[in-house]
Amino acid sequence: MKFSTRGRYGVQIMVDLAQHGTEGPISLKSIADRQKLSEHYLEQLVPELRKAGLVKSIRGSQGGYILAKKPEDIYIGDVIRILEGPIAPVDCTNELDGESCCEKTDFCITREVWVKVRDSINDVVDSISLADLLHDCNKEDVKRLSELFE
Amino acid sequence: MKFSTRGRYGVQIMVDLAQHGTEGPISLKSIADRQKLSEHYLEQLVPELRKAGLVKSIRGSQGGYILAKKPEDIYIGDVIRILEGPIAPVDCTNELDGESCCEKTDFCITREVWVKVRDSINDVVDSISLADLLHDCNKEDVKRLSELFE
DNA sequence: CAAATTCCGATTGGTTTAGTAGGATATTAA
DNA sequence: TTAATATCCTACTAAACCAATCGGAATTTG
């Protein structure tokens, strides 16, 4: 029960863009350097965020990416679902009715568990915006930075 | 973000045992037949549930498995964690402090997301007992059975 | 003893994951 | 106009993981 690197790196990319977005387009290279990730691998992920309308790209020299919306309007759930596909702890929770997948078992008694888990995860990630994360991050940054001088 | 078959089958096994547990030891073969699963594969899973104290085994002819506790005292979360390992959407949420894994990123801003997801999943699966599932199942069974005669 | 059953370790085929390789296209700056 | 910097795009690959299978050994009942 793990998120893959796609969702994790995706959130890191968005946070990085939010933190540096005031400085004009941010190149993948600079994100990869800061976050210690493979630039080439990120190249596979960011276009999907672009196609989904979460970031905009500027090609060519001095180009890069910027957020397509305010951090307040970008939810972590969207980032994760774009890169990982729908959040569904088991496949049959994706379907509208549980009929087609569950004829094997006793009327799919266990389905209730997976549906509740699915809804709970989606509720959490859909309740956290990029702005929420940044806000906490800044407070944390200040705290840790000040600790360095104690 | 999926549970593997280990957790899913594990819950199915426990539900099956709860449904038929009054009839003495239940063989894996009968569970595998009812749930349409590979008996040999289940053989890998059930011993782990036994070692964890969730089921008891009776060896030899006419042997099988029975629940080791009342269905009210068996929580789905335990079944899943025994078979899948700790529920942690990313690895670093397993650690007591986020220090050792997160030096790469900007003070691990994103960790907050994964911690909340982890806690939310655990809360859900730890709030559902085997008895809860059985209760819902029986109502559903009755409803569906009656629909067959309409 | 024969059948049924749990128990145990090794192996396998397939899929997924995380990344690499190599280049095409677009833009800027010198 | 040319060199440098970027995004963009399609393949490919090595390693890990998953789901299951295989082949038996040990235990108990009838």
Side-chain angles (χ1 to χ4, degrees):
Chain A
M1 195 61 175
K2 293 260 188 291
F3 285 115
S4 73
T5 55
R6 295 174 61 86
R8 303 214 311 273
Y9 294 179
V11 176
Q12 281 186 260
I13 290 168
M14 296 299 284
V15 167
D16 194 282
L17 284 180
Q19 289 182 294
H20 301 91
T22 56
E23 310 157 13
I26 309 296
S27 72
L28 274 194
K29 182 169 190 329
S30 68
I31 298 177
D33 285 348
R34 272 192 295 270
Q35 307 289 332
K36 302 280 188 295
L37 303 173
S38 151
E39 180 187 355
H40 248 69
Y41 189 44
L42 297 190
E43 264 178 5
Q44 284 180 311
L45 309 184
V46 190
E48 298 179 40
L49 297 172
R50 179 179 55 78
K51 285 167 195 158
L54 263 55
V55 304
K56 288 179 184 169
S57 67
I58 293 97
R59 300 188 67 171
S61 180
Q62 312 302 318
Y65 294 92
I66 55 173
L67 295 183
K69 298 193 270 188
K70 285 188 299 184
E72 288 80 5
D73 296 330
I74 296 177
Y75 283 87
I76 302 301
D78 294 321
V79 178
I80 293 175
R81 282 185 296 263
I82 288 162
L83 293 172
E84 304 237 357
I87 291 171
V90 317
D91 280 330
C92 77
T93 57
N94 264 335
E95 306 175 16
L96 286 179
D97 68 336
E99 305 282 341
S100 56
C101 64
C102 299
E103 68 283 351
K104 283 165 58 176
T105 67
D106 309 322
F107 294 150
C108 214
I109 296 157
T110 62
R111 188 167 190 268
E112 173 189 346
V113 176
W114 318 126
V115 168
K116 283 185 177 173
V117 169
R118 177 199 63 186
D119 292 344
S120 147
I121 300 173
N122 277 300
D123 284 349
V124 169
V125 294
D126 286 335
S127 74
I128 306 176
S129 72
L130 218 43
D132 294 331
L133 277 189
L134 263 284
H135 185 248
D136 294 341
C137 134
N138 290 335
K139 282 190 298 190
E140 186 78 352
D141 279 0
V142 169
K143 178 171 157 250
R144 299 235 192 181
L145 274 173
S146 67
E147 282 171 2
L148 290 177
F149 294 99
E150 281 173 4
Chain B
M1 195 62 174
K2 293 259 187 291
F3 285 116
S4 74
T5 54
R6 296 173 62 85
R8 301 212 313 270
Y9 294 179
V11 176
Q12 280 186 262
I13 291 168
M14 296 300 284
V15 166
D16 194 281
L17 284 180
Q19 288 182 298
H20 301 92
T22 56
E23 309 156 13
I26 310 296
S27 72
L28 273 194
K29 181 170 192 330
S30 67
I31 298 178
D33 286 347
R34 273 192 294 271
Q35 307 290 331
K36 304 279 189 298
L37 303 173
S38 152
E39 180 187 356
H40 251 69
Y41 188 44
L42 297 190
E43 264 178 6
Q44 284 179 309
L45 309 184
V46 190
E48 300 179 39
L49 297 172
R50 179 179 55 79
K51 285 167 195 159
L54 262 55
V55 304
K56 288 178 182 168
S57 67
I58 294 98
R59 301 188 64 172
S61 182
Q62 311 304 316
Y65 294 93
I66 55 173
L67 295 184
K69 298 192 270 187
K70 285 188 299 184
E72 289 80 5
D73 295 330
I74 297 177
Y75 284 87
I76 302 301
D78 293 321
V79 179
I80 293 176
R81 280 184 297 263
I82 288 162
L83 293 172
E84 304 238 358
I87 291 171
V90 316
D91 280 329
C92 77
T93 57
N94 264 336
E95 306 174 16
L96 286 178
D97 67 336
E99 305 284 341
S100 55
C101 64
C102 298
E103 67 284 351
K104 281 167 57 176
T105 68
D106 310 322
F107 294 148
C108 215
I109 296 159
T110 62
R111 187 167 190 268
E112 174 189 344
V113 175
W114 319 124
V115 168
K116 283 186 176 170
V117 169
R118 176 198 64 187
D119 292 345
S120 146
I121 299 173
N122 278 300
D123 284 350
V124 168
V125 295
D126 285 336
S127 74
I128 306 175
S129 73
L130 217 45
D132 295 330
L133 276 189
L134 263 284
H135 185 250
D136 294 341
C137 134
N138 289 336
K139 282 190 300 189
E140 185 78 350
D141 279 0
V142 169
K143 177 171 157 248
R144 299 237 192 181
L145 275 173
S146 68
E147 282 171 1
L148 291 177
F149 295 99
E150 280 173 4

